Each structure stands twice: as structure tokens, then as C-alpha cells.
Amino acid sequence: IGIQVALNDSIIDTSPGYAVIDKDKIYLGMSGRSKYKSLPTWRHNRFWSETNSETLPQKHQIAESTADLVFLHIQQLWDQISDEADKLVIAVPSSFGEENLGLLLGMCEELKIPLACFVDASIAEAAQEETHSNIIHIEIHLHSLTLTQIKRERMVSRQNVRQIESFGLNKLIDSWTALIAEQSIRDLRIDPIHKAESEQELFNKIPLWINEFRGQPSKKFPIESEGRNWEISVSLESVMETCATFYQDIAETLEKVRAREKSSLIISSRLNGFPGFMDSLYQLGGFDILTLSNDSTIKSINKLKSELLINNGGVKYFTKLPGLEKASETIGSHRYSPTHMVWKHQAIPIKSN
């Protein structure tokens, strides 16, 4: 999960919202994430979700507020494309409010970035898909999950936004780390989070390892200790049990906001590969489920350039866009064969017989 930087339709970088300061040097994005556990003296990963000018509890001469960290991150990202880019379109989460947008606008002006407009990322993604009239878009962030209700008529427009603060990638990684650490202690008598360096290694490996599960009943996880390499076998059921409460929260929220008519459920690429997540959605019924590609926002923005780059004097925020495909009431859902069901916060395997 991170901010995608693209030049036209080519993704240049994906930079997560991590900041680490060591003495007089700041590490942002992936370099910050790669040092987040090994250099724990000054670190922050909430500056994009809590962007404001209030002084940080642990301020530093490099950054005294979350707004300072966002400013430095934007500057770093813009530097990668500034020589070739003429205009910038910023796609933001549905949860971004006026204060967040105002701060970003001011930062772009100070950095002399030629900002053309803001666009709601969920609307940009929904606009390029063939869907029913009623749409719910699901996106995960580091510290929350956003459900955006969208209506498709002549335009694709945002109707309502809900945030689940109990669910975010950060909490999931903490849960998976605890699971692996407990099993490593039990099976190998090795605590992989006892030292900062080994905890960082665990932190680096977990996201890729989780995405490689792909329905397998278990998967090996490598553990390195004192120059020796070990492995533990972690079951899919145990991983799903760490997620079950989160998935249940999403299911309950979807039940509250769903329309009576059949709806389309659009799943961000950032949620692809989460063990059991698609199974939990499959159980709800009544949805055609679409999973997006990693570059879906970038593709949509490029297709909508003529609409987004109209200069009407000022920086516009788009929360509705023309649909790129005709809405359909007869499209078939993406079919999934569930392997587990979530019941009372427990992951239960579905037997073939």
C-alpha cells in the first residue's frame, strides 16, 4: 500500500506513508518502511491519515507536524517526475476532507507544482468498469478501510462514505507478526521480534508472504536466527482467524449500506490476496464482485484527461465523472469458489463433500 506516482500511464514508484528520522536525516516512503522497526527512535506512519499543522508529540527540527511530513513526501515524489510532467492530477481517497485538500493545495502552490485537479480515486476506478447502477467500492489504507457508495446514471457519482477505523493494513500486519512470532517461539524457541533487526526482517517479508498464500492450506515462513535459517509452517486457518473480526466488521457494514437491488462490489487491488477476504464477501450474496488491477486509477485518469484537465479557473475536486462503460443489469459476477466461511469471528474450512 502506498502512493502511486505515474507519468502518463507508466507507474514510476509506489511510496508508502512511512517516515523515519535518524539524527539529521529523514527516510520517507519505502526507505522509511525498510527502517521502521530497526530505527525506532523517531518514526511516524500516520501523517497521511492525520494531516494537520498541529505539533507532533515527538517533534524534530526536520518535521514538527504531520503536515511537514506530507510536504516532504510530496516534494520527494514530485522530484521523480517534475522534469517531464506538465500538469499533475492527484487522486485522493473518498475520506479526504476539505481541510486535507486545502493543505495539499497549499503545499503544491509552495512547491510550484502545476496541480490541475483532485479526483476521488474510487470514482475514477468505478468509472472505467461495467457495473450495476448501485456500486460499493472498498479500499484499504494503512489505518482504516473506506467503503464508498456510488451511483451510476449518466454520471458516476459519489453518494456516501463510511470509514472502518478498526481495520487497516497496519493492524493486520501487527496481527500476522504476533501469529508468526508466537508460532516461532512455540516450534523453534526463537523469538523473531526480540531484536530490532530481526523484527524489521519479519516486517519486510510479511506482505509478500501473505499475498502468496492464494488458498494454500499452509505456507512456510523463513526465520533467520544467529546465522542459521529455519522455517515454520503457518496454516491458512490460523491466518484467517487473525482477520475474522475485521472481515466481520466489513460484512456487517456492507449489510447496512447495501441497496435492495443487486449491486456491484468493487474491490481495490490493494485487498487482492488477503487470505479469506473474497470468501467472506462471497457469503453475502447479492453482489457482482469486481477486483481491480494495480493500475486501474492511472488508466482511468488517462482516459479521462480531456475532462479532468479542463481549466475553468481554479483547482477542481471531481467526485463525479462520465462512465467509460455502459452500466449493465445483466453482467455476470466474477465467480469464486470459497474455501472457508467466517462464522462468529472464526474461520471454518468448507469441505468438498
Side-chain angles (χ1 to χ4, degrees):
I1 288 178
I3 299 169
Q4 288 184 332
V5 182
L7 192 61
N8 296 318
D9 58 356
S10 299
I11 297 176
I12 307 298
D13 189 17
T14 301
S15 185
Y18 289 88
V20 172
I21 296 179
D22 183 36
K23 298 175 183 177
D24 60 348
K25 186 173 178 57
I26 186 166
Y27 301 92
L28 287 161
M30 193 57 74
S31 65
R33 193 186 189 285
S34 67
K35 295 174 175 59
Y36 199 72
K37 299 294 183 179
S38 58
L39 291 175
T41 305
W42 199 108
R43 60 186 185 181
H44 204 286
N45 69 355
R46 288 184 173 270
F47 53 95
W48 277 105
S49 58
E50 299 175 359
T51 306
N52 56 56
S53 55
E54 294 179 12
T55 303
L56 288 165
Q58 190 184 13
K59 65 179 183 178
H60 191 280
Q61 61 182 6
I62 294 176
E64 295 189 355
S65 68
T66 55
D68 289 340
L69 292 172
V70 170
F71 180 89
L72 292 169
H73 201 187
I74 290 176
Q75 185 177 39
Q76 176 181 293
L77 300 177
W78 173 246
D79 284 347
Q80 297 182 63
I81 56 173
S82 59
D83 289 342
E84 298 180 68
D86 299 319
K87 293 182 180 179
L88 180 68
V89 174
I90 299 181
V92 297
S94 302
S95 54
F96 252 48
E98 289 185 9
E99 183 181 356
N100 300 117
L101 295 171
L103 283 168
L104 286 184
L105 177 59
M107 292 172 191
C108 288
E109 289 175 349
E110 187 172 343
L111 291 166
K112 294 182 170 50
I113 295 174
L115 178 63
C117 67
F118 295 106
V119 60
D120 185 317
S122 68
I123 302 302
E125 291 183 329
Q128 69 175 349
E129 299 297 330
E130 187 180 4
T131 67
H132 295 293
S133 297
N134 295 298
I135 306 164
I136 299 176
H137 179 282
I138 304 182
E139 176 65 280
I140 190 171
H141 314 286
L142 264 180
H143 300 287
S144 65
L145 183 132
T146 305
L147 281 80
T148 307
Q149 291 171 267
I150 300 168
K151 192 73 173 178
R152 186 185 199 105
E153 297 171 316
R154 187 180 65 85
M155 302 285 281
V156 178
S157 58
R158 190 176 74 193
Q159 302 294 301
N160 193 21
V161 182
R162 287 180 180 244
Q163 266 195 299
I164 300 178
E165 298 288 348
S166 62
F167 187 100
L169 183 63
N170 195 64
K171 282 190 178 180
L172 283 175
I173 289 178
D174 285 347
S175 298
W176 295 329
T177 299
L179 171 68
I180 291 167
E182 288 168 11
Q183 189 162 331
S184 178
I185 292 169
R186 184 174 62 249
D187 296 352
L188 304 175
R189 299 190 181 279
I190 295 171
D191 184 357
I193 59 174
H194 178 64
K195 294 181 180 179
E197 292 76 13
S198 57
E199 185 179 6
Q200 180 69 58
E201 185 180 356
L202 191 65
F203 188 64
N204 293 344
K205 289 178 180 176
I206 281 179
L208 182 60
W209 177 78
I210 283 291
N211 274 290
E212 289 177 345
F213 244 103
R214 302 295 178 188
Q216 298 176 65
S218 64
K219 186 163 178 60
K220 302 285 187 183
F221 191 93
I223 301 287
E224 186 178 336
S225 176
E226 296 180 357
R228 297 184 65 184
N229 295 316
W230 308 82
E231 283 186 336
I232 56 172
S233 180
V234 183
S235 71
L236 177 62
E237 284 182 59
S238 64
V239 173
M240 285 183 61
E241 283 171 7
T242 66
C243 309
T245 301
F246 300 123
Y247 294 172
Q248 196 74 24
D249 287 348
I250 296 170
E252 289 171 1
T253 304
L254 284 171
E255 289 289 4
K256 291 176 185 175
V257 303
R258 70 189 304 168
R260 292 182 180 180
E261 305 86 6
K262 195 161 190 176
S263 304
S264 294
L265 190 58
I266 298 180
I267 312 301
S268 163
S269 64
R270 294 175 178 87
L271 283 156
N272 288 347
F274 280 27
F277 182 62
M278 298 306 300
D279 293 341
S280 68
L281 298 178
Y282 182 91
Q283 294 169 46
L284 295 173
F287 287 108
D288 281 325
I289 302 174
L290 296 84
T291 57
L292 299 176
S293 63
N294 184 51
D295 59 352
S296 59
T297 308
I298 306 302
K299 282 182 176 178
S300 185
I301 287 172
N302 275 280
K303 289 179 181 178
L304 288 161
K305 275 183 181 179
S306 59
E307 178 83 15
L308 298 174
L309 299 181
I310 292 174
N311 188 353
N312 291 325
V315 175
K316 188 175 180 181
Y317 177 32
F318 288 88
T319 57
K320 61 180 179 180
L321 290 167
L324 300 178
E325 302 285 349
K326 185 179 178 181
S328 170
E329 295 303 330
T330 60
I331 60 174
S333 62
H334 291 252
R335 301 295 180 185
Y336 299 96
S337 298
T339 58
H340 290 71
M341 65 178 291
V342 178
W343 174 254
K344 293 184 178 180
H345 308 303
Q346 296 293 315
I348 303 169
I350 298 173
K351 304 297 184 185
S352 60
N353 58 353

